[in-house]
């Protein structure tokens, strides 16, 4: 079946600003992109001048949460292996790979080690055969550098990217916050932000050794970003990501023991936050993802240190990321490289870009539509957002996966 | 002291304006006159507690629940005595015997306590922020008897009252707090209380037990105890938990004693007649030597315990004034 989407402002690869045009879908693929004024009216879907952008590819969510993903314009989500049970067997990858189809594609990420314990390699090759597009250490750190080296050698041979969580657990210990005035005032166990750069430095040394692709899922500190920048200038195969929370909030957000702002890695100070913004501007950061982890009151209405880390981020991902465009940090074209194109590239899937031949995953956006984040009225499985009450702009008006609306 | 008493009692606002808070969750955020008001109110109970009949009937018919989710002997006893002397029916709930062990959430426990219609709840919990979490869910005033590393406000108040009685005005005194500051709620509450009242506060700890960003707390930071002691008017020692001495934070008790123990010899470095304090229970021979702790002239350690009861009586009185319909307390 052919479908024609006309009168749109297209976010096209290589273009920083939207281009007026139209898009033809045959089956589940994009076949033709026309720029310039519309000449067809029969049977065309009129996009009413809306922004038409590639569907968001959310690299690293902790739950498949379709209502939230639909609201947020997410057409593909890479599921972290930190599930119960942990995704460390081929059968679990197979089971989770069909979750959400056909309107949402889930890409389960293989656990790097059995039980994510960091001690024994998991069956990465078999999990790849079952559909895993990437491997991850979960929210943990592999302390044993010998295991880490062998893991990277293995990933390299299978051409799988390794997604790592960068916190040296010896430094973080039982910490739930970053060292600083807020943590000390609240009496919360805290750790130095250097826990991040220390772990990144080791992993970069091992990338240099093995040539494996490492994606640092969240880099949140000045020093960590500096290391990534240097590694990229060496042409090492590294990439890194961040969530809107670390771009927009500093550790002050945990004041009053707000457990919705308990994240992993924890929020940093203002200087680090500004360094993250700068790293988005200069291209050091490749991916913005939601880190979506809906947690109900049983996990969050607890004393801060006992609460689970994580936030429901899928619905707010686009609107919060659009503030980077409005603030003049990056153009809209670059934003969708961060949200869609680069994550799809890391996963090795033909999506995330309005390119003929690619999967027809795209969204229509009213980028000025104002709304207010309301933790009580979220589409997500739980409303644990640190942005409760924040007025934002930009919402998805339609979402297409493989050319079909859902 | 007498002149200060009259002067200060005249400066307090009337009624609940003197202490416009529903709960006592911490010292942070309290105004200096609010702290002074609590101390002033406690003084009458110091006097009562010295009499042979120590009963007041202000809280007659009221129920006070002491909900202790963390083991405590001294603080629980102090709150229990304070409540009983004020005439309240005091009930103690120990976590070891409670449904917390059976997996009930803290919020459910709070709702349960609330349904018992307590008139005040005193809470100790091992997790920072836990007391505030409960306070948000109950209808009656909540007193924080210590939450994690966060705050222990009545301890800071009893320390301030002790210093006031021994040395007069707190403003202008140099107070050195030494020990495991990182894990200490007593230290945090005392920093807020003493700096708010105008004392110069010095913090001394091994570098492994210093919390981050102390430069933001209006205190002077030392890792050399001898240096910290020079010119001190008050020396407040903190308890070093046994589990911290096993090599994770401190190599050994004897090394700690060598570097940070308050000995008679070391005390010579402080000002003459410096006041010696400790929140208890003490590790004699580790953070404080017995002859210093038991100094007849300058050790205020037992007086701190005495002031504790009076301060807690005052807090129970003030926080229940609204529900008791005391005039001006709305």
């Amino acid at each position: 079946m052919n479908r024609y989407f006309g009168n749109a402002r297209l976010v096209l690869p290589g273009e920083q600003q939207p281009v007026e045009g139209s898009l033809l879908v045959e089956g589940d693929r994009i076949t033709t992109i026309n720029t310039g004024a519309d000449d067809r009216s029969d049977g065309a879907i009129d996009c009413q001048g809306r922004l038409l952008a590639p569907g968001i590819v959310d690299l690293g969510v902790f739950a498949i949460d379709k209502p939230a993903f639909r609201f947020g314009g997410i057409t593909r989500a890479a599921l972290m292996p930190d599930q119960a049970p942990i995704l460390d067997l081929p059968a679990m990858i197979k089971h989770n790979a069909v979750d959400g189809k056909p309107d949402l594609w889930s890409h389960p990420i293989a656990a790097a080690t059995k039980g994510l314990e960091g001690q024994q390699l998991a069956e990465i090759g078999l999990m790849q055969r079952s559909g895993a597009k990437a491997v991850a250490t979960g929210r943990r750190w592999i302390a044993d550098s010998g295991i880490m080296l062998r893991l990277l050698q293995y990933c390299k041979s299978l051409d799988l990217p390794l997604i790592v969580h960068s916190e040296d657990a010896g430094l973080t210990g039982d910490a739930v916050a970053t060292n600083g005035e807020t943590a000390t005032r609240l009496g919360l166990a805290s750790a130095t932000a250097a826990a991040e750069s220390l772990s990144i430095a080791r992993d970069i040394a091992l990338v240099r050794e093995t040539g494996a692709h490492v994606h640092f899922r969240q880099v949140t500190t000045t020093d960590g970003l500096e290391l990534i920048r240097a590694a990229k200038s060496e042409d090492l195969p590294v990439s890194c990501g961040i969530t809107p929370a670390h771009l927009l909030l500093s550790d002050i957000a945990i004041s009053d023991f707000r457990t919705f702002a308990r994240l992993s890695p924890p929020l940093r100070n203002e200087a680090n936050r500004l360094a993250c913004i700068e790293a988005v501007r200069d291209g050091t950061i490749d991916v913005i993802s939601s880190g979506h982890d809906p947690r109900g009151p049983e996990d969050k209405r607890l004393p801060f240190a006992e609460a689970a880390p994580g936030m429901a981020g899928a619905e707010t991902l686009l609107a919060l990321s659009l503030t980077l465009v409005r603030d003049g940090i990056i153009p809209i074209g670059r934003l969708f490289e961060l949200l869609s194109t680069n994550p799809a590239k890391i996963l090795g899937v033909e999506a995330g870009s309005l390119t003929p031949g690619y999967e027809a995953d795209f969204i229509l956006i009213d980028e000025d539509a104002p709304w207010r984040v309301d933790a009580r009225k979220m589409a997500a499985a739980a409303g644990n957002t640190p942005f409760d009450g924040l007025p934002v702009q930009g919402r998805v008006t339609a979402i297409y996966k493989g050319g079909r609306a859902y | 002291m007498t002149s200060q008493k009259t002067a200060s009692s005249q400066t307090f606002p009337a009624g609940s304006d003197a202490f416009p808070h529903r709960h006592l969750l911490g010292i942070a955020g309290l105004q200096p006159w609010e702290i002074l008001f609590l101390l002033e109110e406690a003084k009458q109970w110091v006097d009562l507690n010295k009499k042979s009949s120590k009963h007041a009937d202000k809280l007659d018919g009221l129920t006070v629940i002491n909900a202790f989710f963390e083991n405590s002997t001294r603080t629980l006893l102090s709150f229990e005595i304070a409540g009983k002397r004020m005439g309240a029916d005091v009930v103690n709930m120990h976590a070891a015997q409670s449904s917390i062990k059976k997996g009930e959430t803290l919020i459910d426990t709070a709702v349960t306590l609330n349904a018992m219609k307590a008139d005040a709840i005193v809470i100790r919990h091992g997790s920072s922020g836990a007391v505030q979490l409960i306070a948000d869910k109950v209808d009656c005033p909540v007193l924080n008897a210590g939450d994690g590393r966060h705050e222990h406000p009545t301890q800071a108040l009893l320390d301030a009252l002790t210093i006031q009685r021994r040395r007069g005005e707190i403003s202008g005194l140099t107070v050195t707090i030494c020990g495991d500051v990182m894990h200490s709620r007593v230290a945090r509450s005392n920093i807020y209380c003493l700096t708010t009242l105008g004392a110069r506060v010095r913090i001394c700890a091994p570098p492994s037990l210093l919390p981050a960003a102390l430069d933001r707390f209006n205190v002077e930071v030392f890792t050399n105890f001898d240096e910290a002691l020079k010119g001190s008017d008050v020396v407040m020692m903190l308890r070093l938990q046994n589990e911290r001495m096993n090599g994770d934070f401190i190599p050994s008790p004897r090394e700690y004693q060598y570097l940070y123990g308050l000995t008679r010899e070391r005390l010579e470095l402080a000002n003459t007649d410096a006041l010696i304090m400790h929140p208890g229970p003490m590790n004699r021979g580790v953070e404080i030597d017995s002859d210093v702790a038991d100094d007849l002239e300058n050790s205020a350690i037992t007086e701190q315990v005495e002031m504790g009861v009076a301060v807690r009586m005052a807090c129970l009185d003030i926080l229940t004034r609204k529900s008791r319909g005391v005039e001006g307390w709305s």
Side-chain angles (χ1 to χ4, degrees), chain B residues 242-255:
Chain B
N242 290 325
E243 64 265 27
R244 315 255 190 249
M245 299 187 225
N246 61 8
D248 279 1
F249 290 91
I250 300 294
S252 67
R254 65 177 187 174
E255 175 151 323

Side-chain angles (χ1 to χ4, degrees), chain A residues 295-302 382:
Chain A
R295 294 281 187 165
E298 66 282 5
D299 289 324
K300 283 291 190 181
R301 249 170 41 178
L302 293 170

Side-chain angles (χ1 to χ4, degrees), chain B residues 94-126:
Chain B
H94 302 272
Q97 306 156 5
S98 82
S99 47
I100 288 293
K101 294 271 175 201
K102 298 173 195 156
E104 185 180 68
T105 70
L106 196 57
I107 297 284
D108 288 339
T109 309
V111 169
T112 306
L113 291 178
N114 195 45
M116 311 262 184
K117 305 290 178 220
D119 298 286
I121 305 179
V122 178
I123 302 165
R124 167 167 289 193
H125 196 285

